[in-house]
Amino acid sequence: MDAGKLIFRCTDCGQEYPGHTFMYLCPACETGNRAWLPPKGVLKTVYNYRRIGEGKDSGLLAAQLQKSRYLELLPIQHLKSLPRLKVGNTPVYNVSQHFHLEGMQLFVKDDSQNPTYSFKDRASALVSAYAREKEITTIVAASTGNAGSSLAGICASQGQKAIVFVPAKAPMAKLTQILMYGAKLVPVDGTYDQAFDLSMEVSKEFGFFNRNTAFNPFTIEGKKTVAFELFEQFVGKMPARIFVPVGDGVIISGVYKGFEDLLKLGLIETMPEIVGVQAAGSNNLASNFQKATFAIKPGVTCADSIAVDIPRNFYMACQFVDKYNGRFIEVSDEEILEASTLLSRNTGLFAEPASAASLAGFLKMKTQNSIPEKSTNLLLLTGSGLKDLKAVQSSIKLAEPISATLQEAKKILEL
Ligand SMILES: [Zn+2]
């Protein structure tokens, strides 16, 4: 890679490191990390914005970046290193008419349309492309399911080997997906956090590339691409508010990072208000925001993709939310399941509970009159509902079979 293309900057101590050698965490901060606290030393990838924008007005710069698929803002040398599968470029739908919003606009960006049906493909694709350029053939990840199935699928398409550590209780659909893609699946009798730590130990021991979220700074770089797409899809006029499901704090940091890149290049003037939506049952990011000491509250939620005890990108996510006046909101499992049903029935989009949390957050803020009239709002849907059918079983009812007669059909159809 061009030596001057990027540097790494520590989120916590601010130390900068040259970008030509890959790094996971800031070595100065990493030594103080403890298993029961969010890691310090997560690195932000910083580009030479002055050089990218030099001699171009914003129209020319935007056109150039769109043409190069933002390669100047990615930590890889060639677009051809990315998977041939279609990652990103997911659709945006205006769903305002389905929700009686009285002048308010509501859009949905449907990232369940990625190759493995989740937002995580954005990170896996970039990590895999970087590994390919460095001729690394094995990539390891810990996951609650989506990141693992994503890595497995992307690696299958790139001829790389994936090793995935998951908590044994992860939903069967995600585990099946990982195995079907031919990855080595390691179920861990413990929590996601234990699987995470074990995967790091194994990577270190055998020199594998590790895709763990936030620990690998390029996961944030992959996830930021959603902001570039929104910039194009809304022709520079961003929604005022974006609702993002939050677990580890990496997706929300990715969304912020993409917009921050655009701000630094003068392509947008203001940061949208980003609302991080957490499940009240597992709210370790929201509940510790702006607190002096971090305290874990172990909990459960039907939204397994955002059930996290120790948010791996806690400090960066909080810094972004603080700096750009974002906010966190908590929603109950009941509100999530209700939103899941509403979304499916009204729009034809079947999202997993963690994704539907973004709609639950929007509806809650609307009920609280915290959303200005006539504002434009966007929900990020991060994963397909087919990934976790068990979670929504309680909200559906399967009728008893009938005999194949018109009379019986009339009865069941109430006609
Ligand atoms: Zn540091």
Side-chain angles (χ1 to χ4, degrees):
M1 192 171 359
D2 166 9
K5 185 172 185 180
L6 60 91
I7 58 162
F8 296 114
R9 183 181 296 141
C10 175
T11 307
D12 299 291
C13 71
Q15 178 72 41
E16 293 183 349
Y17 301 94
H20 54 78
T21 310
F22 180 80
M23 294 179 81
Y24 292 108
L25 299 179
C26 163
C29 292
E30 189 181 13
T31 51
N33 283 342
R34 297 292 172 264
W36 57 90
L37 292 172
K40 287 205 169 181
V42 172
L43 297 173
K44 191 191 259 191
T45 309
V46 180
Y47 298 82
N48 192 336
Y49 301 101
R50 196 175 49 83
R51 198 175 72 182
I52 296 169
E54 214 160 44
K56 299 169 200 108
D57 64 27
S58 56
L60 181 64
L61 179 59
Q64 185 188 310
L65 287 170
Q66 285 171 26
K67 196 170 166 218
S68 71
R69 300 314 305 147
Y70 302 85
L71 183 61
E72 294 89 332
L73 293 166
L74 296 175
I76 53 171
Q77 280 177 285
H78 310 288
L79 291 177
K80 66 176 192 311
S81 310
L82 290 162
R84 272 170 294 175
L85 298 174
K86 183 176 164 289
V87 177
N89 292 315
T90 53
V92 167
Y93 303 111
N94 185 339
V95 296
S96 314
Q97 70 276 22
H98 302 297
F99 291 95
H100 313 292
L101 298 175
E102 299 128 25
M104 213 178 270
Q105 294 280 308
L106 184 64
F107 291 85
V108 169
K109 181 145 175 82
D110 182 16
D111 253 59
S112 71
Q113 296 297 309
N114 276 302
T116 76
Y117 318 105
S118 91
F119 188 91
K120 306 289 169 83
D121 286 343
R122 294 178 183 275
S124 300
L126 190 64
V127 167
S128 162
Y130 182 82
R132 199 170 161 189
E133 291 187 352
K134 297 291 172 191
E135 296 176 355
I136 304 169
T137 52
T138 302
I139 310 178
V140 176
S143 164
T144 59
N146 277 342
S149 49
S150 167
L151 179 68
I154 296 296
C155 280
S157 83
Q158 295 263 72
Q160 294 165 323
K161 186 178 173 195
I163 303 176
V164 183
F165 292 80
V166 291
K169 61 174 172 38
M172 190 44 79
K174 295 176 184 177
L175 302 183
T176 307
Q177 220 186 339
I178 294 169
L179 291 168
M180 285 305 292
Y181 290 132
K184 181 73 187 166
L185 177 71
V186 187
V188 176
D189 190 12
T191 62
Y192 164 60
D193 301 285
Q194 288 169 307
F196 195 102
D197 292 340
L198 181 59
S199 80
M200 292 204 297
E201 241 180 287
V202 170
S203 311
K204 207 169 164 189
E205 179 84 15
F206 298 101
F208 300 144
F209 197 44
N210 193 300
R211 180 222 178 273
N212 278 5
T213 198
F215 177 65
N216 184 326
F218 295 160
T219 52
I220 300 159
E221 293 304 287
K223 290 177 180 185
K224 78 178 180 183
T225 55
V226 71
F228 300 159
E229 288 169 28
L230 289 171
F231 171 64
E232 290 182 25
Q233 286 167 319
F234 286 84
V235 204
K237 197 177 180 313
M238 276 311 130
R241 206 161 292 93
I242 299 177
F243 292 80
V244 182
V246 170
D248 255 330
V250 183
I251 294 184
I252 193 170
S253 298
V255 173
Y256 269 121
K257 175 59 168 42
F259 286 128
E260 189 174 68
D261 281 353
L262 298 176
L263 272 174
K264 286 187 172 164
L265 290 168
L267 293 175
I268 56 171
E269 285 169 10
T270 52
M271 179 66 80
E273 182 189 1
I274 313 279
V275 182
V277 186
Q278 277 219 296
S282 182
N283 63 349
N284 288 300
L285 220 155
S287 64
N288 284 293
F289 179 55
Q290 292 177 330
K291 296 270 167 67
T293 50
F294 182 88
I296 301 175
K297 192 184 83 188
V300 285
T301 167
C302 64
D304 79 286
S305 294
I306 51 172
V308 174
D309 281 352
I310 305 168
R312 299 288 160 170
N313 209 20
F314 176 75
Y315 297 104
M316 187 190 283
C318 289
Q319 268 183 27
F320 272 131
V321 171
D322 198 40
K323 180 174 179 186
Y324 293 110
N325 298 315
R327 59 182 288 179
F328 290 108
I329 186 166
E330 293 179 29
V331 289
S332 67
D333 275 14
E334 202 182 356
E335 288 165 324
I336 290 173
L337 290 173
E338 198 183 316
S340 195
T341 307
L342 270 176
L343 186 72
S344 306
R345 293 185 185 180
N346 289 329
T347 68
L349 296 165
F350 179 28
E352 67 173 339
S355 298
S358 60
L359 175 61
F362 168 79
L363 294 173
K364 190 161 194 170
M365 267 182 75
K366 186 173 173 293
T367 310
Q368 295 167 343
N369 292 321
S370 307
I371 303 180
E373 281 176 31
K374 296 189 178 168
S375 63
T376 307
N377 302 274
L378 180 124
L379 312 175
L380 199 56
L381 295 191
T382 46
S384 163
L386 292 176
K387 280 174 165 278
D388 193 1
L389 294 173
K390 213 170 140 195
V392 292
Q393 299 282 293
S394 61
S395 43
I396 53 167
K397 192 168 169 260
L398 193 61
E400 289 298 319
I402 58 162
S403 58
T405 63
L406 182 60
Q407 198 187 5
E408 288 280 296
K410 277 181 178 172
K411 212 161 102 188
I412 201 166
L413 293 170
E414 295 171 10
L415 294 171

